[in-house]
Amino acid sequence: MPHILIVEDEAAIADTLVYALQGEGFTTTWLTLGQAAVEHQRRTPADLIILDIGLPDISGFEACKQLRRFSEVPVMFLSARDGELDRVVGLEIGADDYVVKPFSPREVTARVRAILKRMAPRAESPSPTAGHFLIDTDRMLIRYRGQPLNLTRHEFRLLQCLLKQPQRVFSREQLLDAVGVPSDAGYERSIDSHIKSVRAKLRVIEAEAEQIQTHRGLGYSFSPDRS
Ligand code: CA
């Protein structure tokens, strides 16, 4: 089972995470200091690190920067501040996800699973093309008819999921899972707006684009262009 390193100086929060993650079958290590976490990862690499931003010694941002000098381990930040700037900074210095306190432990474990799932198939998808689409997983970029689509992270994951299995009908719940959002949080309808936005972006490139089909009461599927 994947091993998760939790770096959090508040014992109550760390306990909640340890309990939730172990309940899902993960093994865990809990540390309270950023520098210790960096050293720990150097000696005994975890599969994913949950990293608080406000730590007593160095900040989570600084710890992440140090980690990135020798490791590509997925990092999920925990933050007490709900700021767009933090999010952007976090993603820029190489974090994979970002959760704002207070969070539900289920949300965190769902995201951990989603990140690990995203990491896993990377090596085994040699031909990431479907129809007129080209998926560049490393750069989180999808090209349509040679042109890069300006997608949000959620839209990228959503379209990537559909493209990988043409003609398969995905339920909203399955698509939320692909996006990395827990399906029990009442976000199912947000898939509809993501789909709407992706369709609009495709139509900018090809006015007749109709690749994403709606299946009433079921969900969505992808069909490659015929020409
Ligand atoms: Ca803290």
Side-chain angles (χ1 to χ4, degrees):
M1 270 320 274
H3 186 77
I4 314 295
L5 173 58
I6 300 161
V7 192
E8 165 64 66
D9 57 311
E10 283 175 69
I13 293 174
D15 277 351
T16 310
L17 288 173
V18 166
Y19 182 79
L21 289 164
Q22 289 187 353
E24 297 275 329
F26 295 105
T27 56
T28 56
T29 297
W30 170 37
L31 296 173
T32 55
L33 298 176
Q35 204 65 64
V38 173
E39 294 317 313
H40 188 273
Q41 183 65 14
R42 219 190 282 275
R43 288 195 313 273
T44 41
D47 298 296
L48 184 145
I49 301 180
I50 299 177
L51 187 55
D52 185 29
I53 289 171
L55 292 168
D57 59 341
I58 57 173
S59 74
F61 289 145
E62 178 56 31
C64 186
K65 276 187 210 162
Q66 293 189 20
L67 282 166
R68 283 290 171 259
R69 289 179 197 147
F70 64 93
S71 172
E72 288 300 313
V73 63
V75 170
M76 181 196 289
F77 277 126
L78 296 180
S79 173
R81 295 166 290 173
D82 185 6
E84 180 67 16
L85 182 66
D86 276 358
R87 185 179 170 79
V88 171
V89 169
L91 298 178
E92 272 178 1
I93 65 173
D96 295 86
D97 208 344
Y98 192 97
V99 179
V100 177
K101 297 173 186 174
F103 50 80
S104 86
R106 286 197 61 166
E107 181 188 2
V108 173
T109 52
R111 288 188 185 207
V112 165
R113 263 189 275 116
I115 293 172
L116 291 172
K117 208 161 108 188
R118 274 204 322 273
M119 296 295 144
R122 220 173 245 190
E124 59 192 58
S125 50
S127 59
T129 51
H132 292 281
F133 293 87
L134 184 68
I135 307 174
D136 182 344
T137 311
D138 289 335
R139 293 165 63 199
M140 286 193 77
L141 181 73
I142 296 177
R143 287 177 186 278
Y144 174 51
R145 293 180 178 268
Q147 298 189 47
L149 291 166
N150 181 22
L151 303 173
T152 66
R153 281 165 75 85
H154 282 181
E155 290 166 4
F156 170 83
R157 289 179 198 149
L158 182 67
L159 185 55
Q160 182 188 36
C161 173
L162 289 167
L163 291 176
K164 279 189 171 169
Q165 293 184 59
Q167 317 295 358
R168 175 179 162 184
V169 179
F170 288 90
S171 68
R172 290 184 177 82
E173 194 178 359
Q174 288 167 329
L175 291 172
L176 275 175
D177 191 49
V179 163
V181 174
S183 55
D184 57 355
Y187 290 133
E188 294 209 351
R189 290 293 149 189
S190 75
I191 287 295
D192 298 351
S193 56
H194 289 323
I195 291 278
K196 197 173 162 192
S197 169
V198 171
R199 279 176 172 153
K201 289 173 183 180
L202 295 176
R203 286 196 189 112
V204 170
I205 295 170
E206 166 60 59
E208 305 293 312
E210 297 280 0
Q211 299 92 342
I212 301 175
Q213 267 92 45
T214 305
H215 301 265
R216 213 163 279 283
L218 295 171
Y220 296 97
S221 71
F222 162 76
S223 303
D225 288 357
R226 278 167 224 263
S227 57

